[in-house]
Amino acid sequence: MNDTDFLAQAMRYQDGVLTPDELAAFETAMRDDPAKRQLFADTQVRSMALHDRFRQEAFQSGCGFSRTSEQKRFTWITRPITAMAAGLVIGLFSASIVWAISSPKATTERLFSLLNGSFDEMRVVRGFPHQTGFWSGDEAAIRDGQLRFIAPGSDSGDPTGRAISCDVFQLVDLRPLRHVLSPEGDSVLELSADFRDGRAPNTKPSVSFFGQLYLFSGDPASLHQKWPQSIPEALASGSAQVTTLGSDAKGVRTLNAKCLIPAQADFAVIQISARPNLRPAKLDQLSADNVKLTLKNQPTLPVRIVQR
């Protein structure tokens, strides 16, 4: 299976349409060829970055994309990835996905604590954070051990952007993790968070919760100067979301966003968000809790995409 055929199979794999025989051949190709394992991992990192970028641009631009802005937006994508990723993005929008390991070997996990990930401290700073180790963002408050989303806000680094969601961030220094990363380059950083929609059942508008993870190199103290324009510069990213219409039988929704950790990653941006899908709208009774980071040193690829 040459690289072109392998990428075509990767897109079909992500959409969940491979036959059992094709799936077996696809996993055999990754098991027998380290270059294909790396190619598959790289496409996942790029596709998640594209997914996050498309979503952000879609909500900022409102009714569509101009040809000029579209050309500018894609300057950060290398040409060989562009055509392949277009198919992957379709799969990302049409199906909720997570990483799962097809090998039965145990996964080594290390919990990497966020400061105040359980929201015991009564303080959320306004604006994008300037340093690691504290929560900061749009209007939010800590009440009864939970983060309560209050109002959407716009980004100071993007004066033309629309206030579409209430976003809260924390910068996390990843350099202390380097000595425990897998030498095989398949370490995964996982962000998990619990979200609750406390409104009455079937309350409109619907609300989308997001857990997002971006990995960067460089100095975290300077990132606030160009956020969110700096998102395309992320070395890797992961995103998870769920949409709710008030409380239901599922209760608390736990989101897990995951991404591979490049060796040169210095810090992570943790982003948790609540976005009403009709504006203007209040963010009453929307909350987050139990935000955690976990480093997972995975067994040898192949990696399988499974429905959540």
Side-chain angles (χ1 to χ4, degrees):
M1 186 185 301
N2 60 35
D3 285 353
T4 300
D5 293 337
F6 180 77
L7 287 175
Q9 291 295 80
M11 286 185 279
R12 299 187 66 229
Y13 185 36
Q14 182 141 348
D15 288 336
V17 297
L18 289 180
T19 66
D21 289 343
E22 289 173 330
L23 180 60
F26 184 69
E27 292 192 338
T28 297
M30 284 197 289
R31 183 175 61 248
D32 297 342
D33 188 341
K36 284 187 171 57
R37 291 200 297 271
Q38 185 61 50
L39 178 60
F40 180 75
D42 290 344
T43 62
Q44 302 312 298
V45 172
R46 293 296 186 93
S47 67
M48 288 307 297
L50 273 170
H51 171 239
D52 296 341
R53 185 62 172 175
F54 276 140
R55 184 185 62 79
Q56 182 196 33
E57 292 287 350
F59 288 108
Q60 285 185 347
S61 61
C63 60
F65 304 113
S66 68
R67 183 175 300 274
T68 300
S69 63
E70 186 173 5
Q71 292 172 346
K72 180 179 180 181
R73 182 167 60 256
F74 283 101
T75 56
W76 61 279
I77 306 170
T78 58
R79 289 185 181 272
I81 295 296
T82 307
M84 173 277 301
L88 288 178
V89 170
I90 294 174
L92 284 165
F93 275 110
S94 62
S96 182
I97 62 172
V98 295
W99 292 95
I101 302 302
S102 58
S103 168
K105 297 178 182 178
T107 298
T108 301
E109 299 187 4
R110 297 172 184 267
L111 186 64
F112 189 58
S113 298
L114 288 170
L115 181 65
N116 198 22
S118 58
F119 300 107
D120 296 323
E121 299 177 10
M122 306 297 290
R123 185 168 179 258
V124 178
V125 180
R126 294 294 297 274
F128 192 85
H130 292 203
Q131 63 187 57
T132 60
F134 63 90
W135 292 109
S136 181
D138 296 329
E139 187 175 359
I142 296 175
R143 299 172 186 161
D144 302 323
Q146 296 180 333
L147 176 73
R148 303 296 180 95
F149 299 102
I150 296 177
S154 58
D155 296 297
S156 59
D158 185 11
T160 62
R162 299 165 59 191
I164 63 172
S165 61
C166 183
D167 304 304
V168 179
F169 306 88
Q170 187 171 148
L171 301 180
V172 180
D173 189 351
L174 298 179
R175 289 169 294 184
L177 293 179
R178 286 178 176 164
H179 72 286
V180 295
L181 295 180
S182 166
E184 302 298 326
D186 56 2
S187 294
V188 172
L189 193 63
E190 176 179 333
L191 167 69
S192 64
D194 294 342
F195 294 90
R196 181 186 295 276
D197 185 342
R199 300 174 300 167
N202 298 314
T203 299
K204 296 182 179 180
S206 64
V207 171
S208 293
F209 293 107
F210 296 89
Q212 294 172 284
L213 179 64
Y214 302 93
L215 274 54
F216 293 88
S217 62
D219 180 12
S222 62
L223 190 64
H224 72 279
Q225 299 172 357
K226 52 182 180 177
W227 182 270
Q229 288 84 355
S230 55
I231 289 178
E233 301 173 10
L235 301 173
S237 65
S239 179
Q241 70 180 82
V242 65
T243 299
T244 60
L245 276 167
S247 59
D248 55 28
K250 295 183 179 179
V252 172
R253 308 296 185 93
T254 300
L255 295 182
N256 295 278
K258 309 181 183 185
C259 64
L260 293 171
I261 308 177
Q264 64 271 37
D266 293 319
F267 68 96
V269 176
I270 307 305
Q271 180 177 357
I272 56 175
S273 308
R275 188 196 70 212
N277 295 316
L278 178 66
R279 291 168 289 277
K282 295 181 179 180
L283 299 181
D284 293 336
Q285 302 182 64
L286 307 178
S287 61
D289 197 6
N290 297 323
V291 185
K292 300 175 183 177
L293 273 183
T294 303
L295 169 67
K296 296 186 176 182
N297 288 330
Q298 308 283 22
T300 304
L301 292 175
V303 177
R304 175 175 297 167
I305 301 291
V306 296
Q307 297 291 329
R308 182 169 54 212

